[in-house]
């Protein structure tokens, strides 16, 4: 499986270390080859992530849902956009997968 890590912090005094280290560990334990990583406090890296397709990655690893956005409508749109591409989003803190193993939407996730 191929994945991307997306880490984001809210302030300049925070750092990505804990998020990215735990996501890299998770990827290694679950045989996910990390192809792309985004670590920025601006949205430039997220824009790059949005351009990826199923040919590039199978899963996006994020520390928690709020790293995608603090606005629920944006989270819903993001989840739907990646689901339509067949790309799952995994949030480590919440332990949520947006897609099931068969590629269908995870209806147990609160944002689908």
């Amino acid at each position: 499986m191929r994945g991307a890590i997306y880490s984001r912090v809210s302030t300049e005094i925070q750092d990505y270390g804990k998020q990215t280290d735990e996501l890299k560990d998770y990827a290694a334990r679950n045989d996910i080859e990390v192809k792309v990583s985004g670590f920025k406090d601006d949205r430039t890296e997220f824009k790059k992530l949005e351009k990826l397709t199923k040919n590039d990655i199978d899963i996006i690893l994020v520390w928690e849902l709020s790293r995608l956005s603090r606005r629920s409508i944006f989270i819903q749109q993001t989840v739907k956009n990646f689901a339509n591409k067949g790309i799952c989003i995994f949030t480590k803190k919440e332990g949520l997968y947006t897609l099931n193993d068969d590629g269908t939407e995870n209806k147990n996730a609160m944002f689908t």
Side-chain angles (χ1 to χ4, degrees), residues 28-93:
R29 287 191 315 274
N30 289 279
D31 295 321
I32 299 170
E33 177 188 358
V34 176
K35 295 282 210 177
V36 180
S37 297
F39 315 108
K40 286 282 184 188
D41 56 356
D42 62 25
R43 301 301 278 181
T44 306
E45 292 299 319
F46 186 79
K47 295 293 180 194
K48 291 178 189 176
L49 193 65
E50 285 183 309
K51 293 178 183 176
L52 298 176
T53 69
K54 181 72 173 163
N55 290 330
D56 301 310
I57 59 170
D58 303 297
I59 192 167
I60 297 167
L61 308 172
V62 295
W63 171 249
E64 66 182 339
L65 208 49
S66 70
R67 298 304 82 204
L68 293 175
S69 179
R70 299 235 184 239
R71 296 178 52 217
S72 61
I73 189 70
F74 183 80
I75 291 170
Q76 290 173 322
Q77 291 168 340
T78 299
V79 167
K80 191 68 165 172
N81 290 343
F82 281 111
N84 287 341
K85 294 180 184 185
I87 298 172
C88 180
I89 298 174
F90 169 72
T91 65
K92 185 171 188 315
K93 186 174 180 183

Side-chain angles (χ1 to χ4, degrees), residues 1 5 20-34 61:
M1 183 178 296
I5 292 175
T20 55
D21 289 346
E22 288 193 27
L23 292 170
K24 286 178 183 178
D25 289 345
Y26 177 85
R29 287 191 315 274
N30 289 279
D31 295 321
I32 299 170
E33 177 188 358
V34 176
L61 308 172

Side-chain angles (χ1 to χ4, degrees), residues 99-110:
L99 298 179
N100 298 312
D101 289 340
D102 65 0
T104 59
E105 288 186 44
N106 178 357
K107 298 297 182 188
N108 294 322
M110 65 187 158

